[in-house]
Amino acid sequence: MNNSAPEIQERVVIIGAAPTSLATARALSNLGVDFDIYEKHSDVGGICDPENSDSPMPEDYPDYPSAKQILGYIRAFTRMRLIRRCYALKQLMAAVR
């Protein structure tokens, strides 16, 4: 298996500044890949920011929810927004171009 980064000729665009987008930005930065992040709100956070989200976490959640609560929230969010139809689970990627 080749663990070297692929050569990327163009800038990568990351849409949104949610936690997964920021993790993607960090990985790209570590690989030396140029990128731009476009976020519609005034700050980062995505669905974790109650002021910028139309799907805030439940009021009864503590300030620091458990991993189980966060997982439940993310799964409910994807069901509510019909996002699940946009991805496949249990799929191994051999290569991406």
Side-chain angles (χ1 to χ4, degrees):
M1 175 186 260
N2 182 355
N3 288 329
S4 64
E7 185 176 331
I8 298 178
Q9 304 277 328
E10 300 174 19
R11 291 181 79 83
V12 172
V13 172
I14 300 171
I15 304 203
T20 53
S21 301
L22 300 175
T24 299
R26 180 176 182 213
L28 291 172
S29 180
N30 288 342
L31 293 171
V33 176
D34 292 329
F35 61 88
D36 293 303
I37 299 175
Y38 293 92
E39 168 60 50
K40 71 178 179 177
H41 298 295
S42 62
D43 208 343
V44 300
I47 63 173
C48 296
D49 185 345
E51 293 182 18
N52 290 335
S53 177
D54 57 354
S55 301
M57 287 194 177
E59 288 289 326
D60 62 332
Y61 274 27
D63 287 341
Y64 298 98
S66 69
K68 186 175 181 179
Q69 288 172 312
I70 292 171
L71 178 61
Y73 169 74
I74 291 169
R75 288 181 174 168
F77 179 86
T78 58
R79 282 191 301 275
M80 183 174 60
R81 298 286 179 218
L82 302 175
I83 297 170
R84 280 229 153 143
R85 65 190 166 129
C86 300
Y87 60 84
L89 300 173
K90 297 184 179 180
Q91 303 296 312
L92 178 64
M93 302 302 294
V96 178
R97 291 184 180 254

